Amino acid sequence: ETGVTQTPRHLVMGMTNKKSLKCEQHLGHNAMYWYKQSAKKPLELMFVYNFKEQTENNSVPSRFSPECPNSSHLFLHLHTLQPEDSALYLCASSPIRGADTQYFGPGTRLTVL
Amino acid sequence: DQQVKQNSPSLSVQEGRISILNCDYTNSMFDYFLWYKKYPAEGPTFLISISSIKDKNEDGRFTVFLNKSAKHLSLHIVPSQPGDSAVYFCAARGMEYGNKLVFGAGTILRVKS
């Protein structure tokens, strides 16, 4: 049990759909992260939230819209995605931003048709 | 341009033997290095780390070595066990990057029984 859960685990969507990914952490952490992992590529940091405030947007296209209503929950809203956005989306948390160790959720496998 | 490189996409080792996973980095400002392990359908989990002021850190069967002059680190697993079969990610952190983790693309380790 990593303490970080993600739903759904798998998602297939068309390019005109709107969907959301959810992440919840039960570790009492204050920083949360979204990463993208494409096949055979390194994990790419997308967004960082620290105490509910966005502190990092790593040049992510606006078709990805994060939301952090509180320190325990993080969403990634998706709209008008492209097939190249198909990837594993991982959520992570840490006690504070920049902490040595981040704890990851299992990820959402997204397929955009 | 990848700043953290894991040049071996995969490694196969016999049970009981030593597994050596390698990682190279380009930025001398990185001051902390981590290894994560990932099983299929699970998120990465923290395995072991090392600060740039050290050249070795050991935790049970796992030892990480850091060669700063060569900008190289390695993870040694001895003895290797079938349960060690997973993807291993190297990650680096530095204040210049706001303490974000920069990941390598991963190495798939298969331990044969």
Side-chain angles (χ1 to χ4, degrees):
Chain A
E1 174 59 64
T2 63
V4 181
T5 59
Q6 289 186 243
T7 55
R9 295 294 306 275
H10 300 272
L11 178 62
V12 179
M13 59 187 289
M15 290 191 286
T16 57
N17 291 159
K18 289 184 180 181
K19 297 286 185 183
S20 294
L21 309 185
K22 179 183 176 182
C23 174
E24 184 173 359
Q25 57 95 0
H26 313 274
L27 301 169
H29 290 167
N30 294 301
M32 296 188 78
Y33 311 77
W34 278 118
Y35 287 88
K36 174 184 178 183
Q37 188 187 15
S38 303
K40 294 185 171 56
K41 288 188 176 180
L43 276 71
E44 300 172 53
L45 180 65
M46 300 174 73
F47 300 103
V48 180
Y49 278 82
N50 198 41
F51 292 94
K52 300 190 302 177
E53 299 297 320
Q54 188 181 121
T55 58
E56 185 92 27
N57 176 337
N58 207 23
S59 302
V60 180
S62 59
R63 58 186 183 270
F64 295 90
S65 175
E67 178 190 1
C68 188
N70 54 62
S71 292
S72 298
H73 293 87
L74 185 63
F75 295 89
L76 188 62
H77 304 298
L78 316 170
H79 63 97
T80 59
L81 295 192
Q82 304 298 313
E84 59 264 30
D85 296 322
S86 299
L88 180 68
Y89 288 85
L90 290 159
C91 172
S93 71
S94 64
I96 56 173
R97 174 179 172 268
D100 297 341
T101 306
Q102 295 178 17
Y103 297 79
F104 285 84
T108 295
R109 174 69 63 185
L110 174 67
T111 303
V112 182
L113 301 176
Chain B
D1 187 33
Q2 289 186 32
Q3 298 190 68
V4 177
K5 298 179 184 178
Q6 294 177 256
N7 292 318
S8 298
S10 64
L11 174 68
S12 187
V13 172
Q14 196 67 35
E15 181 179 7
R17 307 294 288 269
I18 185 170
S19 296
I20 300 177
L21 298 107
N22 294 303
C23 178
D24 297 294
Y25 60 96
T26 58
N27 193 328
S28 58
M29 298 304 291
F30 287 140
D31 59 10
Y32 199 82
F33 304 88
L34 305 89
W35 284 94
Y36 279 81
K37 175 180 177 180
K38 183 181 184 301
Y39 292 119
E42 295 183 14
T45 55
F46 170 74
L47 187 58
I48 191 169
S49 62
I50 188 167
S51 165
S52 60
I53 62 173
K54 293 186 171 182
D55 54 16
K56 177 183 175 181
N57 189 26
E58 189 172 353
D59 183 2
R61 296 186 296 113
F62 302 90
T63 303
V64 56
F65 295 92
L66 175 62
N67 183 333
K68 287 190 292 292
S69 60
K71 295 191 182 68
H72 177 83
L73 66 155
S74 60
L75 174 68
H76 292 211
I77 306 173
V78 55
S80 301
Q81 299 173 355
D84 296 328
S85 298
V87 181
Y88 289 79
F89 293 98
C90 170
R93 187 201 74 185
M95 285 188 62
E96 183 179 306
Y97 294 92
N99 284 322
K100 293 184 296 186
L101 290 180
V102 181
F103 284 86
T107 296
I108 300 170
L109 173 65
R110 297 187 184 90
V111 180
K112 299 175 290 186
S113 55

